[in-house]
Amino acid sequence: MKVLFVCLGNICRSPLAEGIMKHKLKMLGLDSKVMVDSCGTSNYHIGDLPDSRTRQNAKRNGVSLDHRGRQLSMDDLNHFDFILAMDRSNHDNILGLRNDKAVRDKIMLMRKFDTEEGEEVPDPYYGGEDDFQEVFNILNRSIDGFIIHLQSKGLI
Ligand code: 4NP
């Protein structure tokens, strides 16, 4: 099973989602069953470490991040089984690259799996510490929901 998290810059939301997912899979002994990666729709931060505020927030929450920024490629649309977009704009930009049934079947909004109300994982880039923690909380719940989904479908 291969899972790709996608945001705009690939330095705040999606690398944190990748780190949380890897951490949870490891705790569950399921890390060998799922390949997890992240990327951005933009080319703004190729090769960059996650934002220092994201790294700090992840560390405070017991999650380590080692991802380097990269841009979404057309190959990714074939390679991955699940493509989880952080917001509607990321979602629509991906479909703008290729909009066929194969892609529509594997792309979804991350918060489809959240247990609390809300459609998007908000971009924290221009926010403060509380905004980064809110992103962590949303991703933490949503990824729990996503792992339960994979288990309930017998995919892991
Ligand atoms: P992300 O946040 O999409 O969650 O990584 C952003 C990071 C950088 C920029 C925008 C959003 N930027 O405009 O550089």
Side-chain angles (χ1 to χ4, degrees):
M1 185 59 37
K2 302 185 212 60
V3 176
L4 182 66
F5 297 104
V6 186
C7 63
L8 174 61
N10 194 212
I11 55 166
C12 295
R13 294 164 292 176
S14 64
L16 182 62
E18 177 190 332
I20 294 172
M21 178 94 181
K22 285 179 171 170
H23 180 76
K24 287 182 186 294
L25 290 170
K26 194 158 190 186
M27 303 280 278
L28 292 165
L30 294 170
D31 43 323
S32 64
K33 308 234 177 197
V34 192
M35 186 269 190
V36 186
D37 195 4
S38 68
C39 67
T41 55
S42 79
N43 61 3
Y44 304 156
H45 294 282
I46 293 171
D48 292 355
L49 280 171
D51 188 283
S52 59
R53 297 163 297 175
T54 297
R55 278 185 281 145
Q56 241 174 33
N57 175 269
K59 197 171 170 189
R60 238 192 336 268
N61 287 284
V63 173
S64 63
L65 306 179
D66 59 4
H67 184 78
R68 291 276 178 173
R70 73 172 185 87
Q71 186 173 23
L72 178 74
S73 73
M74 294 300 284
D75 275 354
D76 289 327
L77 303 181
N78 291 324
H79 183 69
F80 287 91
D81 303 300
F82 284 89
I83 300 176
L84 293 164
M86 296 297 132
D87 63 31
R88 176 62 59 189
S89 154
N90 310 143
H91 179 278
D92 293 352
N93 284 335
I94 296 166
L95 287 180
L97 290 176
R98 196 181 119 197
N99 187 342
D100 61 16
K101 187 172 184 311
V103 174
R104 284 195 299 273
D105 283 349
K106 63 170 98 177
I107 182 173
M108 44 205 88
L109 285 169
M110 177 82 260
R111 289 192 77 175
K112 174 183 161 78
F113 301 102
D114 195 352
T115 47
E116 291 190 20
E117 192 86 15
E119 193 191 30
E120 301 191 303
V121 184
D123 181 353
Y125 193 63
Y126 296 103
E129 204 175 304
D130 288 356
D131 300 290
F132 281 81
Q133 186 58 40
E134 173 65 3
V135 166
F136 184 93
N137 295 342
I138 291 170
L139 289 175
N140 197 36
R141 293 191 307 263
S142 301
I143 290 166
D144 278 340
F146 180 51
I147 290 173
I148 289 168
H149 174 79
L150 294 177
Q151 288 175 319
S152 72
K153 295 273 176 197
L155 295 170
I156 56 173

